[in-house]
């Protein structure tokens, strides 16, 4: 047999075998009944808007005015952390925080790490730790930065507190901090061998693990790390759900560090960029400062690289419907996380993180977000047809609110309004009421139903229009 002919015959036989293998069907992503596959892309909703998708809804100056309005409105419960008092009574604060732990004690069955526990005994022990290990005297605040994505808790403990053995929410988590997010420290406590700091972010107060914060030597060092010009381009903003910095043997403090949506990192001035960084050159990378923590808890500013291929932008994005959609859909299908647990987001944090990419500083929860003066439209009492007509005139990207939940309006198709949100549970809009736990970022129509049988459409009572502040 001719050798070349034999080889050709074998190759032909292999190719025939390959062509006979049946093609696999496209994988199916499950959706709510009213949601089609093409609705699960940002492009669908952007194309539906046409040229209006790229209209700038607010100037950077107007966003700054919105921030100031939110920061100073009592009902928004935000903190002007840059302008806090230069000294405070740590002894009085310690006593107040010890009492607050007892006030936080649940009046129902309490499960600590899924074990039924006497709440009085447990919370009493935590309160005693606050009282015995906290600072005393007249002190000045400490200015800190988060060195990793971390949780802010109502009481200082590493334990998981639930109201049932299988409670999916850690009930004491209040919110979270992104990498390089500022925090003002005014108290400490050691509970179960873990050190915590109590203090203030711009959107909430609470306790944070000490190991997740780095303390700056001066207030100026602190503000130099995070404070940016609204119109500036000398900083990066993470505009996707999350990504990790490259692994590195030479920079362990930033190796594999997770950066989440809305994280802001200042770029290193060109004249200060080193020749190499952790044994890497700089081509096709952004060079940024990242806060790290030394063994004493002090902040060390580290230079690191962010790959050019990551979803980041130089400076805050223009506020357009198209940009809101593109950012919102990067989280589609991600896990819901109450208050920031599981390194994820709940509904209000999801909206807050999306809007942070445009420079907004939004309040923590749904009740407070609707309290920014001059932005809320009350639609309580309207029937479904009227609400649908009103919502259909909203700009896609508008935050919508019902008691305990917030969503981003996408658009109206065939008389149905659609939203995307970090949701916990809902029932399909058709058939018997059957509420299922979803715990995901999902696209839904407003026809889905709550446990009380009412649709989301019937329950919506507020539309927030931040662009009303101009």
């Amino acid at each position: 047999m001719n050798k070349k002919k034999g080889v050709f015959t074998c190759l032909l036989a292999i190719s025939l075998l390959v062509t006979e293998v049946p093609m696999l069907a496209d994988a199916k992503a499950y959706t709510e009944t009213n949601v089609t596959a093409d609705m699960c892309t940002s492009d669908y909703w952007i194309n539906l808007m046409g040229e209006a998708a790229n209209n700038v809804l607010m100037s950077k100056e107007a966003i700054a005015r919105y921030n100031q309005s939110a920061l100073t409105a009592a009902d928004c419960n935000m903190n002007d952390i840059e302008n806090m008092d230069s000294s405070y009574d740590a002894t009085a604060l310690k006593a107040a925080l010890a009492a607050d732990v007892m006030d936080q004690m649940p009046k129902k069955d309490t499960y600590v790490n899924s074990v039924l526990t006497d709440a009085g005994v447990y919370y009493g022990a935590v309160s005693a730790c606050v009282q015995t290990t906290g600072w005393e005297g007249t002190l000045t605040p400490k200015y800190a930065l988060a060195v990793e994505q971390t949780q802010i808790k109502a009481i200082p403990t590493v334990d998981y507190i639930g109201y049932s053995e299988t409670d999916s929410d850690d009930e004491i988590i209040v919110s979270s901090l992104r990498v390089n997010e500022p925090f003002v420290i005014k108290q400490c406590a050691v509970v179960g061998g873990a050190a915590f700091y109590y203090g203030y972010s711009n959107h909430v107060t609470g306790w944070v693990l000490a190991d997740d914060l780095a303390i700056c030597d001066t207030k100026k060092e602190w503000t130099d790390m995070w404070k940016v010009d609204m119109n500036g381009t000398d900083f990066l903003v993470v505009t996707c759900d999350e990504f990790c910095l490259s692994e590195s043997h030479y920079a362990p403090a930033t190796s594999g560090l997770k950066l989440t949506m809305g994280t802001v990192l200042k770029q290193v001035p060109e004249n200060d960029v080193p020749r190499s960084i952790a044994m890497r050159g700089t081509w096709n990378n952004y060079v940024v400062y990242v806060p790290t923590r030394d063994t004493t808890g002090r902040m060390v500013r580290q230079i690191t690289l962010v790959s050019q291929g990551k979803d980041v932008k130089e400076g805050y994005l223009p506020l357009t419907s198209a940009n809101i959609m593109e950012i919102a859909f990067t989280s589609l299908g991600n896990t819901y996380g109450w208050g920031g647990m599981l390194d994820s987001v709940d509904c209000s944090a999801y909206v807050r993180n999306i809007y942070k990419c445009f420079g907004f500083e939004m309040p923590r929860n749904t009740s407070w977000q609707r309290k920014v003066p001059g932005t809320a439209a009350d639609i309580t009492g309207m029937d479904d047809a009227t609400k649908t007509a009103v919502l259909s005139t909203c700009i896609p990207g508008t935050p919508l609110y019902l008691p305990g939940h917030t969503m981003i309006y996408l658009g109206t198709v065939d008389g149905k309004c659609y939203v995307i949100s970090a949701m916990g549970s809902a029932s399909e809009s058709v058939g018997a009421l059957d509420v299922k736990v979803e715990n995901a970022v999902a696209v839904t129509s407003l026809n889905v139903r709550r446990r009380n049988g009412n649709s989301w459409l019937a329950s919506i009572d507020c539309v927030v229009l931040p662009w009303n502040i101009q």
Side-chain angles (χ1 to χ4, degrees):
M1 178 179 177
N2 183 285
K3 187 173 180 180
K4 290 184 178 179
K5 183 178 180 181
V7 171
F8 175 77
T9 302
C10 289
L11 290 173
L12 179 61
I14 291 170
S15 68
L16 289 172
L17 285 172
V18 170
T19 57
E20 290 174 2
V21 176
M23 297 296 290
L24 295 175
D26 290 338
K28 175 179 174 60
Y30 294 91
T31 62
E32 188 251 314
T33 298
N34 291 309
V35 176
T36 61
D38 53 354
M39 289 179 176
C40 297
T41 67
S42 59
D43 286 345
Y44 176 88
W45 302 102
I46 292 170
N47 292 336
L48 205 63
M49 288 180 274
E51 294 182 1
N54 294 309
N55 291 344
V56 176
L57 305 175
M58 286 180 83
S59 67
K60 300 290 179 63
E61 291 74 18
I63 294 172
R65 288 192 287 275
Y66 173 99
N67 290 343
Q68 187 61 28
S69 183
L71 197 64
T72 55
D75 288 344
C76 290
N77 291 285
M78 297 185 75
N79 302 305
D80 187 0
I81 57 175
E82 191 180 359
N83 296 305
M84 283 190 160
D85 294 339
S86 58
S87 66
Y88 65 99
D89 185 341
T91 305
L93 179 59
K94 179 177 69 171
L97 292 174
D100 181 65
V101 170
M102 298 308 297
D103 289 341
Q104 298 283 341
M105 184 177 68
K107 304 299 189 293
K108 59 180 75 176
D109 286 348
T110 301
Y111 290 76
V112 178
N113 302 324
S114 298
V115 176
L116 183 61
T117 302
D118 186 315
V121 172
Y122 184 86
Y123 277 72
V126 174
S127 177
C129 288
V130 172
Q131 188 63 54
T132 57
T133 61
W135 296 321
E136 296 186 344
T138 301
L139 302 178
T140 57
K142 300 180 188 298
Y143 298 98
L145 299 161
V147 296
E148 59 180 83
Q149 177 86 4
T150 189
Q151 298 167 348
I152 305 175
K153 295 190 170 187
I155 67 171
T157 180
V158 297
D159 293 326
Y160 188 108
I161 310 296
Y163 299 148
S164 71
E165 189 176 355
T166 57
D167 194 337
S168 60
D169 294 338
D170 187 344
E171 302 292 350
I172 62 168
I173 293 181
V174 178
S175 188
S176 62
L177 288 174
R178 312 177 192 94
V179 171
N180 200 43
E181 194 163 355
F183 194 74
V184 175
I185 298 169
K186 289 195 175 182
Q187 255 307 342
C188 74
V190 178
V191 180
F196 287 84
Y197 289 131
Y198 175 85
Y200 308 77
S201 70
N202 73 350
H203 66 287
V204 79
T205 61
W207 296 89
V208 179
L209 272 171
D211 286 350
D212 294 342
L213 296 172
I215 299 173
C216 296
D217 288 337
T218 65
K219 185 175 180 180
K220 184 179 185 306
E221 181 184 45
W222 178 67
T223 55
D224 282 349
M225 283 294 291
W226 62 268
K227 191 174 180 181
V228 297
D229 180 351
M230 184 68 75
N231 287 295
T233 57
D234 59 343
F235 57 95
L236 297 187
V237 182
V238 175
T239 54
C240 63
D241 59 338
E242 62 182 44
F243 64 83
C244 293
L245 297 181
S246 299
E247 299 282 342
S248 173
H249 294 298
Y250 304 98
T254 58
S255 177
L257 182 66
K258 181 188 288 188
L259 303 180
T260 54
M261 183 184 292
T263 298
V264 173
L265 300 173
K266 284 193 174 180
Q267 295 190 78
V268 178
E270 186 174 355
N271 291 340
D272 295 334
V273 173
R275 179 180 176 86
S276 65
I277 300 161
M279 298 299 291
R280 292 177 62 195
T282 57
W283 289 353
N284 295 108
N285 278 270
Y286 300 99
V287 185
V288 297
Y289 293 118
V290 173
T292 63
R293 188 176 192 271
D294 69 13
T295 55
T296 68
R298 178 183 171 275
M299 196 279 289
V300 177
R301 188 177 69 171
Q302 185 164 316
I303 294 176
T304 194
L305 299 172
V306 175
S307 304
Q308 188 178 356
K310 301 299 184 184
D311 286 329
V312 295
K313 295 294 184 290
E314 293 184 281
Y316 291 125
L317 283 168
L319 183 66
T320 67
S321 291
N323 284 338
I324 294 172
M325 297 296 145
E326 288 179 358
I327 293 169
F329 273 83
T330 66
S331 299
L332 188 64
N334 284 5
T335 300
Y336 170 97
W338 167 253
M341 62 180 290
L342 304 175
D343 271 358
S344 192
V345 293
D346 59 17
C347 63
S348 54
Y350 177 60
V351 172
R352 190 167 64 86
N353 288 352
I354 291 169
Y355 272 77
K356 176 63 178 176
C357 297
F358 306 100
F360 283 85
E361 300 293 347
M362 295 187 75
R364 158 66 186 101
N365 63 35
T366 56
S367 299
W368 302 344
Q369 285 180 4
R370 61 171 77 194
K371 295 296 186 180
V372 179
T375 64
D378 186 348
I379 60 171
T380 306
M382 294 181 181
D383 60 31
D384 286 1
T386 305
K387 278 188 182 179
T388 298
V390 169
L391 294 178
S392 297
T393 66
C394 286
I395 296 171
T398 298
L400 309 180
Y401 293 82
L402 54 83
H405 191 53
T406 180
M407 305 140 280
I408 296 288
Y409 174 69
L410 297 176
T412 299
V413 179
D414 295 331
K416 294 185 178 70
C417 300
Y418 288 83
V419 295
I420 185 170
S421 66
M423 60 174 293
S425 60
S427 172
E428 296 278 3
S429 57
V430 296
L433 184 67
D434 180 20
V435 175
K436 297 185 295 183
V437 173
E438 294 295 337
N439 282 343
V441 175
V443 175
T444 63
S445 70
L446 290 181
N447 296 69
V448 296
R449 292 170 289 174
R450 311 181 77 192
R451 293 189 186 280
N452 61 9
N454 292 333
S455 70
W456 282 12
L457 176 64
S459 303
I460 287 176
D461 57 6
C462 179
V463 176
V464 167
L465 308 166
W467 32 86
N468 277 1
I469 296 178
Q470 291 295 340

